Amino acid sequence: MRWSGFLRRLVLIPPTLVGVGIIVFVLLRVVPGDPIAMMIPPGASADDITRLRALYGLDQPLLSQFVTWSGQMLLGDFGRSISLHQRVLELVTARLPATLELALLAVLIALALGVLIALAGVYVRGRRAEWLVDAAIGFFLAIPDFLWALILLLVLGVLLPWLPISGRIDPQRDVTFATHFDLLESLATFRLDVAADLLRHMLLPALALALPFAALVARLLKAQLAEAEDQDYAQIARTRGFSRATILTREVFPNALIPTVALSGVQITLLLGGTVLVERIFSYEGIGNMAIDAVINRDFPLIQGLILTFALLFIALNLVVDGLVALLDPRLHHG
Amino acid sequence: MMASGMPGAILICGGCIAMRFHSVSRRTLLQFAGLAALPLGVPSRAAQAAASTLTIAYNVNLPSFDPTVGASAVNPTIQSIYQAIFDPYIGQAADLSFKPGLLTKWGWNEDRSKVTMELRQGATWHDGSPVTPEDVVWSLTRAADPKGGNPIQFVWSKINNYKIDGHTITADVVEFEPVLFKWMAFLTGYVLPKAYYEKVGAEGFEKAPIGSGPYKVDAFERNAFLRLKSHPGYWGPKPAFETVVFKFVTDPTSRVAEIESGGSDLTFEIPYEEFDRLKNKPGLVGQTKPVSDIGMIFLTDIDPMLDRNVRLAANHAIDKKAIVDRLLHGYGVPIATLEAPGYVAFDPAIKVAYDPELAKSLLAKSGYSPQKPVKFTIQTTRGFKPKDYEMIQAIAGMWRKVGIEANIEVYEIAQHYELRARHALAPAAFYNWGNAIGDPTTSTGFAMFAPSPHSAWKGKDLVERIGPLWGEKDEAKRIAGWKAVDKYIADEGEVIPLLQYVQPILHKKTVKVPPQANGMILPQLITPA
């Protein structure tokens, strides 16, 4: 990607976010469900409802509400959560790192597993063992992440109670963090017992997210590797006496990687979407878990803040992946 | 993470990262090696601290600490947590009766123009300062402020002009509210610390709340857990467990996994099938108790529910016992009115018999039959309450046999609230109605009185009958009046009460859990077995 292209993408970010903001704002007010109706106690009168509606600014015309909200957004104020009574920005920035760490771990596991399976699959190409690899890929791909979450919960949490099944850290542990990136911070500060505890809690949700993604990476990469291995340069390397393993890892792999990276970018955004249910199942305190509560409570400001955050994340991820593809693909350097 | 006793709450460890880089010891390197193998199977700190810690797999998240403001303040399922941290003005016993809390005495004067409340002496806030009458007056005044955001403001505003004399507080009655003191034991009826709240503000209080309850907040991870430590200055009996951890496990399957894996000592609100499976498992105990929550079908006074024959037929065609036995595994109590057994206005003499033949004959009078059924929509949630959708499916099946064809429409609970507030529910709509204070005003009253935004039946017949009961000063006459209203509603079929819910609680044999009729899981009452 050229600098001009990169800059053009950057310039497009604000209008994209504005578009997302408008759609979310309107949709939330069109779909059934009213945050005030959620908090009306028995005995409340029509006056009480009017009073509560005014308290949260929901008595204003839709346009006026939108103008107020957009004005606040421009000043970096995402508003105040109706159900949690805290600033949305504060809530999102406190929880987003937990989701990012979980997604990062899931991506690392998925890439490691996917690459290993793909290399193994290509290595046994044409043999009976290839069928086994393909079947394994199909199996992992067929089961969605939230179902993997339940399977892992029951197998590794209940049947063989090896790993914790809820939360991000042992509730008995007294620990403080300067940032909300608990895992990265504990690793950086060599509090390895804390890091191990965090990893133990993250492993099952990360695996649940990683397994379908790993299967996808494996399927794509295996096909790319097989195709690249049949290319002339790989055949020439073989005639020059290089071992198959060397050719696969040093010559074929880098070339097969580019489409895999491009597709992985798209898949990471889907993986982030998958955190919503997986975080819920493992009671993991990320923004996905928070998003479900926000929707149940019809917490408009929080839902708007969370969706904009997801939108920003997706845009940023796509930019990073495009940049990475450009970096890996020599053809694009001379475009 | 929010940590103990630190006003301002989120502990900042500025500089931690830089400070710790310089000292990479042999121990650290060994830890690194161990990290690669993740210490599977190594007992966690939770296991080591288990003896003095009670861990509860809780079914909802805690949205907010202030128990007097916003939606969470009126969410009955969160009150167990609030009552562990904050003291209600008045306590409630396991059978829904009332007992002293922070107030040791309370009552009206002869002509109901004044109230008197006496504050307990020796109660302290979690920061060690004493609970004062000024705290009580400030809490009540704040609750009554229309701009304060208290959803029950309309109750608290019924008294004002407070006067303090020692530990005795008096106030003038603006408008007589017979259940004022009952509200003091439930939703938003908590005393908060005036001086502390004014010092830290609303946001500061959310970050580091203090109350005067048996437990103080030690650590809170939103959507993950709340850790409480016992309050050494608590005026009541010292809790048996020094530490209580509420794990927020909102998914029922995950809650089952929590108790089955031993990760929690106690859980509740799990599917009845799982409850039956696990209650006989070694090391676990299952207990059930009917709670102050009922399943019901609202009837909206629109066509065809304006036809009394249709309403009564819809009532008589439902075999509630079969629903309880077959769908709920026996965990439910069929009811005939909105007053469940244990509520003060419960009248066992009121009955609505299961009689499909009567239902058929009633429908025939209006020209309907199984061949020519009356048609309407029934709305229901799916998965919000145990077997809600399945119950409505079964009811639709029973109705079909007598000549009622119900089209089932699934909606979210948020939609139900909105539709009900707009008086736009379908002719029939399933809902559950909790009534932890057991008073008829908070069940039949708010559910059936037309001016209430919660009622689906807006008929004048009920307005005339219920209206005078709101201000009735003679308690016996008031309760008798409500029973008469319930009888009238049953005779007219203006609502379909279905069943009283039974709460399944599953816990380890190592703990003893006294069940509460209001459905609360109060850690301060749980003891080692």
Side-chain angles (χ1 to χ4, degrees), chain A residues 33 41 44 80 166 171 174 281 293, chain B residues 61 203 227 254 258 418 453-454:
Chain A
R80 199 177 156 84
S166 66
D174 273 314
I281 290 169
D293 279 336
Chain B
N61 281 309
E203 294 205 4
R227 192 174 70 214
S254 306
E258 268 290 326
E418 191 201 356
H454 295 277

Side-chain angles (χ1 to χ4, degrees), chain A residues 210-241:
Chain A
L211 289 177
F213 186 24
L216 199 81
V217 170
R219 173 173 280 182
L220 186 77
L221 188 59
K222 181 171 168 274
Q224 294 296 326
L225 283 169
E227 194 183 320
E229 198 185 16
D230 292 338
Q231 298 290 314
D232 290 347
Y233 68 90
Q235 300 297 330
I236 291 166
R238 179 168 280 187
T239 58
R240 288 176 65 188

Side-chain angles (χ1 to χ4, degrees), chain A residues 307-324:
Chain A
I307 291 181
L308 280 178
T309 305
F310 270 114
L312 198 60
L313 263 179
F314 291 175
I315 292 169
L317 265 171
N318 280 323
L319 267 180
V320 169
V321 170
D322 286 353
L324 211 60

Side-chain angles (χ1 to χ4, degrees), chain A residues 55-203:
Chain A
L55 196 70
Y56 291 99
L58 297 169
D59 59 334
Q60 300 296 312
L62 203 61
L63 189 64
S64 163
Q65 283 184 49
F66 183 72
V67 168
T68 308
W69 179 66
S70 345
Q72 287 175 334
M73 291 289 296
L74 285 175
L75 298 170
D77 180 2
F78 281 50
R80 199 177 156 84
S81 158
I82 292 172
S83 60
L84 306 179
H85 306 168
Q86 284 188 46
R87 299 253 148 234
V88 169
L89 194 60
E90 197 180 305
L91 287 164
V92 171
T93 49
R95 292 279 77 94
L96 180 61
T99 298
L100 290 179
E101 283 189 340
L102 180 65
L104 180 67
L105 185 65
V107 168
L108 289 178
I109 292 172
L111 290 179
L113 269 177
V115 168
L116 275 176
I117 295 169
L119 283 171
V122 169
Y123 197 74
V124 297
R125 190 152 67 118
R127 291 187 235 162
R128 279 187 184 173
E130 189 185 4
W131 180 87
L132 269 179
V133 173
D134 287 342
I137 291 173
F139 177 71
F140 284 121
L141 206 54
I143 300 175
D145 48 18
F146 68 88
L147 213 54
W148 274 117
L150 290 173
I151 292 168
L152 292 168
L153 179 105
L154 294 175
V155 175
L156 294 176
V158 178
L159 204 63
L160 309 165
W162 289 348
L163 288 165
I165 53 176
S166 66
R168 191 182 181 193
I169 196 165
D170 186 339
Q172 293 293 334
R173 189 179 285 279
D174 273 314
V175 62
T176 53
F177 296 98
T179 67
H180 293 287
F181 287 96
D182 298 1
L183 178 63
L184 297 175
E185 185 182 329
S186 55
L187 283 170
T189 53
F190 296 103
R191 288 185 287 176
L192 300 181
D193 56 332
V194 177
D197 189 19
L198 287 160
L199 277 172
R200 286 176 72 240
H201 281 80
M202 289 169 73
L203 202 54

Side-chain angles (χ1 to χ4, degrees), chain A residues 29 31-46 48-49 51-53 55-56 80 82-87 90-91 94-95 150 153-154 157-159 161-180 182-183 185 187-201 203 279-286 289-293 295-298, chain B residues 1 3 10-18 20-21 23-24 28-29 31-32 35 38-42 44-47 49 53 55 61-64 66 69-72 74 145-154 183 187 202-203 206-207 218-219 221-225 227 229 243 245 247-251 253-254 256-258 260-261 281 412-415 417-418 421 433-434 442 446 451-454:
Chain A
R29 279 142 183 95
V31 296
D34 174 3
I36 300 303
M38 297 291 290
M39 67 172 82
I40 307 171
S45 63
D48 295 318
I49 298 171
R51 180 176 53 80
L52 282 171
R53 203 171 287 284
L55 196 70
Y56 291 99
R80 199 177 156 84
I82 292 172
S83 60
L84 306 179
H85 306 168
Q86 284 188 46
R87 299 253 148 234
E90 197 180 305
L91 287 164
R95 292 279 77 94
L150 290 173
L153 179 105
L154 294 175
V158 178
L159 204 63
W162 289 348
L163 288 165
I165 53 176
S166 66
R168 191 182 181 193
I169 196 165
D170 186 339
Q172 293 293 334
R173 189 179 285 279
D174 273 314
V175 62
T176 53
F177 296 98
T179 67
H180 293 287
D182 298 1
L183 178 63
E185 185 182 329
L187 283 170
T189 53
F190 296 103
R191 288 185 287 176
L192 300 181
D193 56 332
V194 177
D197 189 19
L198 287 160
L199 277 172
R200 286 176 72 240
H201 281 80
L203 202 54
E279 284 183 358
R280 192 68 168 184
I281 290 169
F282 290 103
S283 308
Y284 186 84
E285 67 256 39
N289 199 349
M290 187 187 274
I292 292 181
D293 279 336
V295 171
I296 290 172
N297 294 317
R298 295 294 192 271
Chain B
M1 181 185 289
I10 295 176
L11 288 183
I12 302 298
C13 186
C16 286
I17 298 174
R20 287 177 190 251
F21 265 118
S23 55
V24 184
T28 305
L29 286 172
Q31 282 180 329
F32 242 134
L35 190 65
L38 278 183
L40 306 176
V42 174
S44 67
R45 288 182 179 215
T53 302
T55 304
N61 281 309
L62 175 66
S64 158
D66 189 334
V69 173
S72 51
V74 289
D145 182 354
K147 291 178 184 164
N150 186 311
I152 316 283
Q153 181 268 345
F154 58 90
W183 275 110
L187 302 177
E203 294 205 4
E206 277 302 322
K207 289 173 179 170
D218 186 45
E221 280 289 341
R222 188 175 296 286
N223 291 89
F225 69 86
R227 192 174 70 214
K229 292 277 183 198
T243 306
V245 173
K247 283 186 184 175
F248 303 124
V249 188
T250 48
D251 182 68
T253 311
S254 306
V256 170
E258 268 290 326
E260 209 173 355
S261 66
K281 201 179 167 185
E412 270 186 88
I413 194 64
Q415 284 173 269
Y417 290 135
E418 191 201 356
W433 191 283
T442 39
F446 294 136
S452 159
H454 295 277

Side-chain angles (χ1 to χ4, degrees), chain A residues 42, chain B residues 74 76-77 92 95-98 179 182-183 185-187 290-296 337-346 385 431-447 478-479 482 486 500-501 516-520:
Chain B
V74 289
T77 48
Q92 201 174 16
D95 63 352
L96 299 184
S97 62
F98 298 91
V179 288
K182 291 186 180 181
W183 275 110
F186 197 46
L187 302 177
V291 291
S292 53
D293 191 12
I294 62 165
M296 60 182 282
T337 70
L338 299 184
E339 309 300 327
Y343 295 6
V344 287
F346 171 66
K385 293 299 286 182
Y431 184 63
N432 75 295
W433 191 283
N435 182 16
I437 57 177
D439 196 85
T441 56
T442 39
S443 49
T444 304
F446 294 136
R478 188 175 78 89
I479 298 302
W482 281 111
D486 284 325
Q500 179 182 22
Y501 283 107
Q516 307 293 307
N518 58 16
M520 288 198 202

